[in-house]
Each structure stands twice: as structure tokens, then as C-alpha cells.
Amino acid sequence: MKRIVSVQDISCVGRCSLTVTLPVISAMGVETSVLPTALLSTHTLFSDPSILDLTDQIPAITRHWKRIGVRFDGIYTGYLGSLGQLDLISDFIDEFRGDGFVFIDPVMGDHGRLYAGFTPEYVKRMAAFCGKGDVIVPNVTEACLMLGREYIGHGYSADVVKELLRGLTGLGASKAILTGVSMEPGRLGAAAFDSESGEFFLCTGERVKGSFHGTGDIFSSVCVGALANGCSLGQAVESAVNFTCECIRQTACDNEDRRFGVDFEKALHLLTRKEWNGKQ
Ligand code: PXL
């Protein structure tokens, strides 16, 4: 069985990061190890969460893994809370990437703004960190921040999307996926570019009104699972868009506080099927 490691925080309440990536990638038939970077009572859209930074634990954990010879087929990084963690995880990638792929989701903002606790210095350092990746997956906000562009909002042309994707691969990863792409009213999805083959991909679904927290982590997790299972970039993006849209549809009609995330549990069974998880 393929084994990946998911490097991000545990937000105890409010489905995102590890509480999303573990079930999603596991459902796709990929062993999911974790390297938790912080322990929060909730994610940071709730006010004043308790935060325990786990940076100190990372060297001890990875030293032990080295001693026992653990290998990964993929390294997936998500929310990393500090500049120090970027350095440590950068070293971790050097030591453990082997023949596996490195998938970087530069989680730091949405809707044109940085999440609480992130700074312009972090943006700069994250842009450099993205050079370690084989695949990077920013949303439109994160892409604009890392490329030093003004936030483009919604309703831009395909040329703008292509320009962003080319700029993103210029950070050093050969493949880039841009999420939250909305070029026309009523549609939302993702676009991707493989700088080695020169191919672009676009996949969209029906846009459901509202903002659905945690969907970026669901999207990235499905991509990681699909890539680990041998899917092409285009296939991975298609599965991830379709699954994320299905989770949003399952959630749209309930009246829950959106900060608790989407009801991915109702759609999880789909990922056990070959058509969705890409298992060969
Ligand atoms: O879903 C991204 C995410 C992950 N982890 C934490 C967050 C967020 C977004 O707000 O706050 C702690």
C-alpha cells in the first residue's frame, strides 16, 4: 500500500487540516501518516483558539523515523504555523522525499486576506518553500500574495489564470494547481498547469452560494490520494473538484454554522470507488 505523510495542524473542532486529510486519504486506500505541527482547540476562524505549537516535537519524531527507516511515497504539507516550521519541514523534505512526490498547499489566506497570525514575511518565505514542491496548490488569494499581485477577486479571463499558473511554476515546482477559480458566474473549480508538458487543465462545478470552510483541505487531500494512486494531474484535479462540489452540495441545505466545515462524511463512501480514487 502507498504511504504518504500529512504535515499540518490538528484543529480539534471545525473540520480542516488533519481531521479532514486523515479520513479522506485513508478512504482512498492510501496509508496516511501524520506529522502534527500544532494542536489548536479550533481553527483560527473561531475567536481565540488555544494553540500548542509542536515545533519542538518535530526533530524528535523525524529522528525516530530515520532510525527505523520509514519511507513515504508522498509528502503533503498544509497549514504550517511559523517561520521556524518552514525551515524544519524544508529539512524534513530533503531527508525524506526519496522517490516520492512533494505536494505543498501553501495555506495562509482566502477571500483576498491572510488568515490570523500570518505576515508578509511568511508569504515571502512560503513562496520560497514552494520551490521544494513537485506540485503546489494555492487558492487564488495565496497565488496573488506569493506572486506579489493585487487580489483578482472573481470573474477574470482564462489568460489571467494561465498567467498565474505560469508564475506559480516559476516558483520552482513543475506543476501548479490553482483552486477557487471562478471565471464566470455560477461556476467554481480549479485550473492546473504542468510546465514539463505545457498542458493546462480546467475543471469546474456548479457554484453554491456561500463560503465553505475547509474545502481547500478536502480538495488537496483528494489530489494527494489520487496522485499516490497513480493518477495524472488532470485526473487528480477532476476527482478533487467533483468530490469537493459533492461535499458542498451535501452541506448547502443544513443550517449549521459554516465554520464547522462541510459534511464530507456523507460523501466519503464515493472515495472508496476506483472511479473516484484512481486506484489502478
Ligand atoms: O483549512 C485551513 C486551516 C488549517 N488549519 C488552521 C486554520 C485554517 C484556516 O483557517 O486556521 C489552524
Side-chain angles (χ1 to χ4, degrees):
M1 189 176 272
K2 299 285 185 186
R3 176 190 301 122
I4 66 98
V5 59
S6 176
V7 185
Q8 45 198 309
D9 67 283
I10 301 174
S11 287
C12 299
V13 166
R15 304 173 186 98
C16 71
S17 41
L18 284 182
T19 62
V20 165
T21 72
L22 260 174
V24 167
I25 303 174
S26 298
M28 297 176 79
V30 175
E31 181 185 341
T32 310
S33 307
V34 299
L35 182 52
T37 55
L39 177 66
L40 295 87
S41 52
T42 66
H43 57 66
T44 59
L45 292 194
F46 289 96
S47 56
D48 295 324
S50 68
I51 303 178
L52 175 65
D53 186 300
L54 296 175
T55 307
D56 287 355
Q57 296 299 311
I58 294 172
I61 293 171
T62 58
R63 262 200 312 274
H64 182 221
W65 288 352
K66 217 44 200 177
R67 260 198 330 270
I68 61 173
V70 177
R71 290 181 195 284
F72 301 108
D73 299 294
I75 297 174
Y76 161 27
T77 71
Y79 182 100
L80 304 174
S82 66
L83 294 172
Q85 284 194 353
L86 283 178
D87 292 337
L88 270 178
I89 302 305
S90 184
D91 294 344
F92 170 72
I93 290 172
D94 291 341
E95 280 194 66
F96 283 87
R97 74 186 308 157
D99 299 329
F101 65 91
V102 176
F103 185 101
I104 296 177
D105 184 345
V107 177
M108 55 191 164
D110 206 359
H111 308 295
R113 301 181 46 200
L114 284 171
Y115 292 134
F118 290 98
T119 60
E121 175 63 14
Y122 186 91
V123 173
K124 241 200 270 170
R125 297 274 293 277
M126 178 54 92
F129 180 72
C130 279
K132 292 255 162 198
D134 297 301
V135 186
I136 60 170
V137 191
N139 59 30
V140 171
T141 300
E142 291 152 351
C144 291
L145 283 165
M146 289 196 293
L147 297 175
R149 291 186 57 139
E150 214 170 295
Y151 178 56
I152 57 173
H154 301 281
Y156 29 78
S157 69
D159 283 345
V160 169
V161 171
K162 286 183 176 177
E163 196 190 309
L164 283 176
L165 284 166
R166 282 203 193 90
L168 288 168
T169 55
L171 298 177
S174 66
K175 300 178 180 66
I177 305 172
L178 185 63
T179 63
V181 170
S182 181
M183 294 191 282
E184 46 175 326
R187 306 290 298 175
L188 181 67
F193 176 52
D194 183 336
S195 65
E196 282 167 356
S197 66
E199 286 174 292
F200 284 96
F201 307 91
L202 175 68
C203 184
T204 62
E206 200 182 322
R207 183 188 190 115
V208 175
K209 266 213 168 107
S211 174
F212 295 90
H213 189 260
T215 48
D217 298 337
I218 289 178
F219 180 93
S220 287
S221 300
V222 176
C223 282
V224 169
L227 292 171
N229 283 335
C231 285
S232 67
L233 182 66
Q235 289 167 330
V237 170
E238 191 179 335
S239 252
V241 168
N242 291 339
F243 186 73
T244 307
C245 287
E246 183 56 30
C247 292
I248 290 172
R249 270 195 295 277
Q250 293 287 350
T251 311
C253 46
D254 74 22
N255 288 322
E256 184 70 271
D257 180 336
R258 290 283 171 256
R259 291 176 300 180
F260 285 92
V262 291
D263 298 353
F264 69 83
E265 298 85 351
K266 293 179 187 161
L268 209 51
H269 64 100
L270 295 170
L271 294 179
T272 63
R273 298 197 203 150
K274 281 195 175 72
E275 313 88 86
W276 287 78
N277 64 38
K279 255 196 183 312
Q280 313 294 318

